[in-house]
Amino acid sequence: MPKRVVLAYSGGLDTSVAVKWMIEELGVEVVAVAVDVGQASEDFEVVRERALAAGAVEAEVVDCRAEFARDFVMPALKANAMYEGRYPLVSALSRPVIVQHLVAAARRHNADAVAHGCTGKGNDQVRFEVSTRALAPDLEVIAPVRGWGMTREDCIAYADRHGIPITATKEKLYSIDDNLWGRAIECGPMEDPWAVPPPGVWSLTLPTQTEPRDLVIGFEAGIPVAVDGERLEPVELIDKVGSIVGSYGWGRIDMVENRRVGIKSRETYECPASLALILAHADLESITLERDLAREKARLEPRYAELIYDGLWFSPLKQALDAFVDESQHYVTGEVRLRLEPNSCLVTGRRSEHSLYDYALATYDAADAFHHEDSAGFVRLWGLGIETWAKRQSSLGDLA
Ligand code: ARG
């Protein structure tokens, strides 16, 4: 049985109850670690004090926003990573960085286990546990919420009984998880996939702007580095793009996705920054990646997204795909112009010093440098096999 456990602590009802519950039921010491990945509305000092009030022997807050942006979000952006073609992996990307810090804290505090507050139905338990085993196979993983069989009401009663200061109410409308890269809102009325999400669901994409505007994103080697010519670090850049794009009411996703554990789940997301940056990045690739490289990359991108979704951030295939993606990004440098209008974000231009777009080849004007005479022989050979087939075997010829 473990003696000291490092808990991924959010400050919410479940993880607050989990602190006390593990002390009482498992006889362990609990070190609470809250990881700041850019949650919008968290006061981490309050979170820390709540963990101590719940009985934690120690409580730490780790600000890993810069690290999250640099080492997790940016690789995903370079890969245009979207699960099932639509979801930019907001929650899925944060779990491995959280686990990295849990494991580091476990080492610092001489703990022999880590714990999380995930239920048994979701993807996050998979990400926590598989990532932990990848980084620290010797640590035990405890998942109190999965096994304790308490309802939300039971948890509130438990917190009251033990003097745990929580702010939860009996009726919890949604389950929300957010970070720099966006916001996931599940449950409540949205469990009916036909139900329109109630207006209270949205907070990052409330339309307040009506005046159209352009937004120019500058990239270097696949990484966004500037907005309208102003150089910004990843965290600031993501924040800025998110608040501008979100103010046009753009960046919402409403989908039914396939969880790793076999459940179809109705999900709503607000991802103004991630969707706009992926849109811009992929567009810049259209002029900077050679055709075969672009097509092969596009073939691998969904696989890369699946690995992240399925908790395999720390895995040999993911590492190998990272090497491929990094190699592809050397020339993804340049600018993309986005046009923002209410509920709309469109690319209206792209340019790069490494652009493979050749005006002299593309133009139909006088500047045309394309060798038209080369085409006749090329097309003849291109169709030669089909011509031979048509003469000897095909029955299509006389249909016309
Ligand atoms: N369905 C999304 C995912 O699996 C969002 C999960 C949100 N997590 C949460 N605890 N509410 O990545």
Side-chain angles (χ1 to χ4, degrees), residues 87 89-92 95 122-124 127 175-177 184 186 257 259 265 267 269 309:
Y87 162 49
L89 295 160
V90 176
S91 304
R95 272 31 178 194
N123 296 310
D124 290 324
R127 299 163 185 157
S175 163
I176 296 169
D177 184 55
E186 312 170 295
E257 77 192 27
R259 290 191 189 162
S265 173
E267 306 276 341
Y269 300 107
Y309 189 87

Side-chain angles (χ1 to χ4, degrees), residues 99-174:
V99 168
Q100 207 161 277
H101 285 280
L102 278 190
V103 168
R107 300 307 186 208
R108 262 199 319 279
H109 292 279
N110 267 320
D112 37 18
V114 297
H116 62 73
C118 307
T119 69
K121 290 172 75 169
N123 296 310
D124 290 324
Q125 56 174 346
V126 178
R127 299 163 185 157
F128 267 112
E129 292 178 36
V130 176
S131 297
T132 303
R133 281 159 65 194
L135 296 182
D138 59 301
L139 289 180
E140 216 178 291
V141 184
I142 303 175
V145 176
R146 200 162 58 194
W148 67 26
M150 286 194 274
T151 63
R152 186 172 174 79
E153 261 176 52
D154 297 339
C155 285
I156 293 175
Y158 187 99
D160 281 347
R161 234 177 15 255
H162 291 90
I164 303 170
I166 43 111
T167 52
T169 49
K170 285 214 167 64
E171 266 304 298
K172 189 190 179 191
L173 275 178
Y174 319 115

Side-chain angles (χ1 to χ4, degrees), residues 25 31 83 85 337 345 353 366 391 394:
E25 303 294 322
V31 175
Y83 182 63
R337 192 196 313 108
C345 171
E353 56 187 301
K391 284 181 183 153
S394 170

Side-chain angles (χ1 to χ4, degrees), residues 64-360:
C64 68
R65 284 172 299 169
E67 178 189 355
F68 177 52
R70 186 189 63 228
D71 299 340
F72 294 81
V73 167
M74 290 304 156
L77 173 59
K78 287 191 270 186
N80 302 316
M82 300 248 241
Y83 182 63
E84 296 188 336
R86 298 180 69 189
Y87 162 49
L89 295 160
V90 176
S91 304
L93 280 168
S94 74
R95 272 31 178 194
V97 75
I98 294 172
V99 168
Q100 207 161 277
H101 285 280
L102 278 190
V103 168
R107 300 307 186 208
R108 262 199 319 279
H109 292 279
N110 267 320
D112 37 18
V114 297
H116 62 73
C118 307
T119 69
K121 290 172 75 169
N123 296 310
D124 290 324
Q125 56 174 346
V126 178
R127 299 163 185 157
F128 267 112
E129 292 178 36
V130 176
S131 297
T132 303
R133 281 159 65 194
L135 296 182
D138 59 301
L139 289 180
E140 216 178 291
V141 184
I142 303 175
V145 176
R146 200 162 58 194
W148 67 26
M150 286 194 274
T151 63
R152 186 172 174 79
E153 261 176 52
D154 297 339
C155 285
I156 293 175
Y158 187 99
D160 281 347
R161 234 177 15 255
H162 291 90
I164 303 170
I166 43 111
T167 52
T169 49
K170 285 214 167 64
E171 266 304 298
K172 189 190 179 191
L173 275 178
Y174 319 115
S175 163
I176 296 169
D177 184 55
D178 71 331
N179 60 52
L180 276 180
W181 206 223
R183 185 165 176 268
I185 317 102
E186 312 170 295
C187 303
M190 273 106 66
E191 285 180 353
D192 171 0
W194 177 250
V196 178
V201 159
W202 312 113
S203 77
L204 305 180
T205 54
L206 298 173
T208 54
Q209 295 297 325
T210 49
E211 203 52 41
R213 68 166 281 178
D214 290 334
L215 193 64
V216 176
I217 315 286
F219 289 87
E220 279 174 17
I223 304 284
V225 294
V227 176
D228 289 338
E230 183 195 356
R231 283 192 80 87
L232 295 168
E233 290 302 309
V235 174
E236 286 76 23
L237 185 140
I238 293 166
D239 273 349
K240 180 158 189 169
V241 171
S243 61
I244 295 173
V245 173
S247 70
Y248 284 84
W250 191 85
R252 296 180 184 177
I253 304 162
D254 181 335
M255 68 189 282
V256 175
E257 77 192 27
N258 291 290
R259 290 191 189 162
R260 179 63 289 189
V261 294
I263 300 172
K264 281 196 190 288
S265 173
R266 200 279 183 85
E267 306 276 341
T268 47
Y269 300 107
E270 294 183 287
C271 304
S274 40
L275 291 181
L277 288 169
I278 292 172
L279 179 68
H281 175 264
D283 195 279
L284 185 59
E285 288 186 325
S286 74
I287 57 167
T288 52
L289 296 194
E290 179 275 334
R291 176 191 57 187
D292 287 337
L293 175 58
R295 290 186 185 174
E296 199 60 19
K297 180 168 184 283
R299 209 173 62 82
L300 293 170
E301 285 170 354
R303 187 77 184 98
Y304 187 90
E306 267 166 32
L307 293 173
I308 298 172
Y309 189 87
D310 291 343
L312 296 168
W313 178 272
F314 302 112
S315 68
L317 177 54
K318 156 74 172 45
Q319 281 178 353
L321 292 179
D322 273 328
F324 173 89
V325 171
D326 281 342
E327 178 61 31
S328 74
Q329 297 297 293
H330 293 310
Y331 300 109
V332 186
T333 296
E335 289 183 321
V336 176
R337 192 196 313 108
L338 299 173
R339 179 71 171 172
L340 295 168
E341 290 177 16
N343 301 311
S344 157
C345 171
L346 291 171
V347 175
T348 59
R350 70 290 287 158
R351 63 183 174 191
S352 165
E353 56 187 301
H354 306 297
S355 178
L356 301 171
Y357 181 91
D358 188 327
Y359 177 78

